[in-house]
Amino acid sequence: MARNEQLFERAKNIIPGGVNSPVRAFGSVGGIPRFIRRAEGAFVWDEDGTRYTDYVGSWGPAIVGHAHPEVIAAVQEAAAGGLSFGAPTEGEIIIAETIAKLLPSVERLRLVSSGTEATMSAIRLARGYTGRDKIVKFEGCYHGHSDSLLVKAGSGLLTFGNPSSAGVPSDFIRHTAVLPYNDTTALAQYFAEQGTETACVILEPIAGNMNLVQPSAEFIHTLRRLTEEHGVVLIYDEVMTGFRVALGGAQSLHGIRPDLTTMGKVIGGGMPLAAFGGKKEIMDCISPLGGVYQAGTLSGNPVAVAAGLKTLEIIQRQGFYENLSTLSQRLCQGLSAAAKAAGVPFCADWVGGMFGLYFADHIPHSYADMTASNTEAFKRFFHGMLARGIAFGPSAYEACFMSAAHTPELIDNTIAAAQEVFSEMAAA
Ligand SMILES: *Cc1c(COP(=O)(O)O)cnc(C)c1O
């Protein structure tokens, strides 16, 4: 631990909290964050040379495993041809066409560099298209850190006990309504009162920033019907779920055609790449065709596009998602059985390559459910597993991620380690 500790001390003298994204600081679990030197397949190694089986996967992007040789080769080849041109490239067309083929709701698409940019731009576009100001989000859903969306926004803020953010003028969030997730009655009531003044509803179609929380079919279908009836743009924020829960995203599992979709994480394969897209009629309101401004010096960066394209190629291979889902299932069922045997209240849930671990009696359906789970138990589990070389996200409110580089054997090792940790927890 010596070098991790030294680096953390040094980092704190120059980077606020020692990190460039808050949850990395281990604030909610305590202890020293591991500084990563390198990663390969299902593993990361820290600066002290300790190897961890990694269920963070860079928070989702590493779906084909870290440093996949084909992705690295594609990146190296692209990099050798120049890092950025500020002019259009063929790769951008190919990746846009590929995404549109996988997500039929996407008729037009624009590339950006982060999920935050994608959601911020989609909201602006929805407002420009409808000429309305009000927007709706759901409690515990995170859509990046743009001002109007930082209200009751899930993990990062939850972890720090801070439901919204300082520095956001109340004027900015005056137009943001926050409704409870999975509450169809609250939704219907909102639409009856304010539906026709509302520009858009933005939703994590499978929530992954208050840990994993699945929506009910009733909630999802009522939302689509009400948005349609009131001329409200429905935005599926699939930055996490896109190409993660299924090849066609959560929308393919739900049988829903959203008006706009935001994507990120997996589509960049670990490089800064994100996108928003959807109905032609709406997307054509963006500059230079329409009056909604949106731009980016590094948008569609050729090296990021190369990483994304290769990743999208790999995930389309035969049996990719069946395998990922089988691995997630094996881990969730194994952990649940181990906890039950030890008498520790615990449950788990998964969709494709994404899963949630809950120190609770039942799988949560809302933010209120989730915040009622036992975060002290999570802390003990987290550190017990980390000490055994297994890394989960350092917060009870984060979802976890499986990659194609994980094997049944690695998962069984994880379950065996958890048996020890659960026994220690039961004894304590
Ligand atoms: C990660 C995430 C974002 C933000 O993406 P960044 O690339 O971190 O800006 C937005 N929405 C969802 C659902 C996310 O999981």
Side-chain angles (χ1 to χ4, degrees), residues 192-369:
E193 289 164 6
Q194 302 180 63
T196 54
E197 301 154 39
T198 301
C200 64
V201 176
I202 186 164
L203 171 80
E204 275 189 79
I206 294 170
N209 286 286
M210 50 174 158
N211 207 326
L212 172 67
V213 175
Q214 296 207 50
S216 70
E218 186 206 13
F219 178 66
I220 282 294
H221 287 278
T222 304
L223 178 58
R224 179 65 284 191
R225 180 175 56 77
L226 289 171
T227 45
E228 231 154 43
E229 283 171 10
H230 293 82
V232 172
V233 176
L234 176 59
I235 304 172
Y236 259 39
D237 180 359
E238 299 229 41
V239 170
M240 185 182 285
T241 54
F243 315 103
R244 168 54 68 183
V245 297
L247 191 54
Q251 55 196 269
S252 70
L253 299 176
H254 296 161
I256 293 286
R257 197 180 168 93
D259 302 308
L260 294 177
T261 299
T262 55
M263 290 152 268
K265 298 194 168 105
V266 169
I267 65 163
M271 294 289 286
L273 186 70
F276 63 103
K279 271 191 183 155
K280 176 182 183 301
E281 182 191 334
I282 304 175
M283 290 299 291
D284 283 353
C285 295
I286 297 174
S287 184
L289 296 180
V292 178
Y293 195 70
Q294 186 276 330
T297 302
L298 295 177
S299 289
N301 176 269
V303 185
V305 166
L309 264 176
K310 186 52 77 175
T311 302
L312 292 180
E313 181 192 319
I314 297 170
I315 64 178
Q316 289 183 71
R317 290 179 188 159
Q318 192 68 35
F320 186 88
Y321 287 90
E322 289 78 355
N323 175 51
L324 211 56
S325 191
T326 304
L327 294 170
S328 300
Q329 177 179 17
R330 187 182 186 102
L331 182 61
C332 287
Q333 292 181 342
L335 291 177
S336 299
K340 195 171 175 202
V344 173
F346 172 91
C347 48
D349 195 15
W350 75 94
V351 191
M354 184 172 159
F355 60 96
L357 310 178
Y358 323 97
F359 287 86
D361 295 323
H362 67 275
I363 291 171
H365 300 296
S366 68
Y367 177 84
D369 273 2

Side-chain angles (χ1 to χ4, degrees), residues 114-117 119 142-145 204 209 237 239-240 265:
S114 72
T116 293
E117 257 187 280
T119 55
Y142 177 66
H143 305 291
H145 63 89
E204 275 189 79
N209 286 286
D237 180 359
V239 170
M240 185 182 285
K265 298 194 168 105

